[in-house]
Amino acid sequence: MLNRLRRLEDQVRGLHKMVDEERPCQEILTLLSGVRSALDATGETIFEQYLLSCAAEEGEPLPTKEIVKTARLLR
Protein backbone atom coordinates (compact mmCIF):
# COMPACT_ATOMS: atom_id res chain seq x y z
CA MET A 1 0.00 0.00 0.00
CA LEU A 2 2.79 2.42 0.86
CA ASN A 3 4.47 1.75 -2.48
CA ARG A 4 1.24 2.62 -4.29
CA LEU A 5 0.92 5.82 -2.31
CA ARG A 6 4.53 6.77 -3.06
CA ARG A 7 3.95 6.24 -6.78
CA LEU A 8 0.84 8.39 -6.57
CA GLU A 9 2.80 11.06 -4.79
CA ASP A 10 5.38 11.01 -7.58
CA GLN A 11 2.65 11.24 -10.21
CA VAL A 12 1.10 14.25 -8.49
CA ARG A 13 4.52 15.91 -8.36
CA GLY A 14 4.80 15.16 -12.07
CA LEU A 15 1.46 16.89 -12.65
CA HIS A 16 2.67 19.90 -10.72
CA LYS A 17 5.84 20.04 -12.79
CA MET A 18 3.92 19.68 -16.05
CA VAL A 19 1.61 22.57 -15.15
CA ASP A 20 4.60 24.65 -14.04
CA GLU A 21 6.33 23.95 -17.36
CA GLU A 22 3.11 24.78 -19.23
CA ARG A 23 3.04 21.42 -20.98
CA PRO A 24 0.22 20.74 -23.45
CA CYS A 25 -3.18 20.25 -21.81
CA GLN A 26 -3.61 16.84 -23.45
CA GLU A 27 -0.46 15.54 -21.70
CA ILE A 28 -1.59 16.93 -18.35
CA LEU A 29 -5.07 15.46 -18.72
CA THR A 30 -3.64 12.08 -19.68
CA LEU A 31 -1.50 11.95 -16.54
CA LEU A 32 -4.40 13.25 -14.45
CA SER A 33 -6.57 10.42 -15.73
CA GLY A 34 -3.91 7.92 -14.68
CA VAL A 35 -3.64 9.48 -11.23
CA ARG A 36 -7.41 9.28 -10.77
CA SER A 37 -7.46 5.62 -11.78
CA ALA A 38 -4.60 4.82 -9.43
CA LEU A 39 -6.32 6.68 -6.57
CA ASP A 40 -9.56 4.81 -7.20
CA ALA A 41 -7.77 1.45 -7.23
CA THR A 42 -5.91 2.33 -4.03
CA GLY A 43 -9.13 3.45 -2.35
CA GLU A 44 -10.83 0.20 -3.31
CA THR A 45 -7.96 -1.80 -1.87
CA ILE A 46 -8.05 0.16 1.39
CA PHE A 47 -11.84 -0.24 1.55
CA GLU A 48 -11.54 -3.99 1.03
CA GLN A 49 -8.92 -4.28 3.77
CA TYR A 50 -11.09 -2.18 6.07
CA LEU A 51 -14.04 -4.50 5.56
CA LEU A 52 -11.94 -7.60 6.05
CA SER A 53 -10.15 -6.35 9.14
CA CYS A 54 -13.29 -5.00 10.82
CA ALA A 55 -15.19 -8.20 10.13
CA ALA A 56 -12.27 -10.25 11.44
CA GLU A 57 -11.92 -8.16 14.60
CA GLU A 58 -15.57 -8.26 15.49
CA GLY A 59 -16.10 -11.91 14.61
CA GLU A 60 -19.41 -10.88 13.06
CA PRO A 61 -20.32 -9.52 9.65
CA LEU A 62 -20.42 -5.76 9.38
CA PRO A 63 -23.91 -4.30 9.26
CA THR A 64 -25.00 -3.29 5.77
CA LYS A 65 -25.52 0.27 6.98
CA GLU A 66 -21.84 0.50 8.00
CA ILE A 67 -20.67 -0.86 4.65
CA VAL A 68 -22.83 1.62 2.73
CA LYS A 69 -21.69 4.50 4.93
CA THR A 70 -18.05 3.63 4.34
CA ALA A 71 -18.56 3.05 0.60
CA ARG A 72 -20.00 6.56 0.28
CA LEU A 73 -16.68 7.95 1.45
CA LEU A 74 -15.09 6.67 -1.76
CA ARG A 75 -17.38 8.69 -4.02
Side-chain angles (χ1 to χ4, degrees):
M1 189 58 54
L2 290 176
N3 285 336
R4 280 184 182 204
L5 292 171
R6 285 185 191 104
R7 279 185 298 213
L8 277 163
E9 186 177 10
D10 290 342
Q11 287 180 319
V12 171
R13 282 193 187 111
L15 275 172
H16 185 255
K17 184 177 177 183
M18 289 173 80
V19 170
D20 191 46
E21 293 173 350
E22 297 181 8
R23 300 277 291 272
C25 292
Q26 188 70 25
E27 289 181 25
I28 294 169
L29 291 172
T30 299
L31 182 55
L32 181 60
S33 176
V35 170
R36 278 187 180 160
S37 294
L39 274 172
D40 287 343
T42 302
E44 289 170 6
T45 301
I46 290 171
F47 178 57
E48 182 180 347
Q49 290 302 312
Y50 166 76
L51 293 176
L52 292 172
S53 67
C54 285
E57 286 177 19
E58 304 281 328
E60 300 177 12
L62 284 171
T64 303
K65 192 173 187 176
E66 180 67 21
I67 294 170
V68 170
K69 179 179 128 184
T70 306
R72 285 186 178 142
L73 294 172
L74 290 175
R75 289 188 189 170

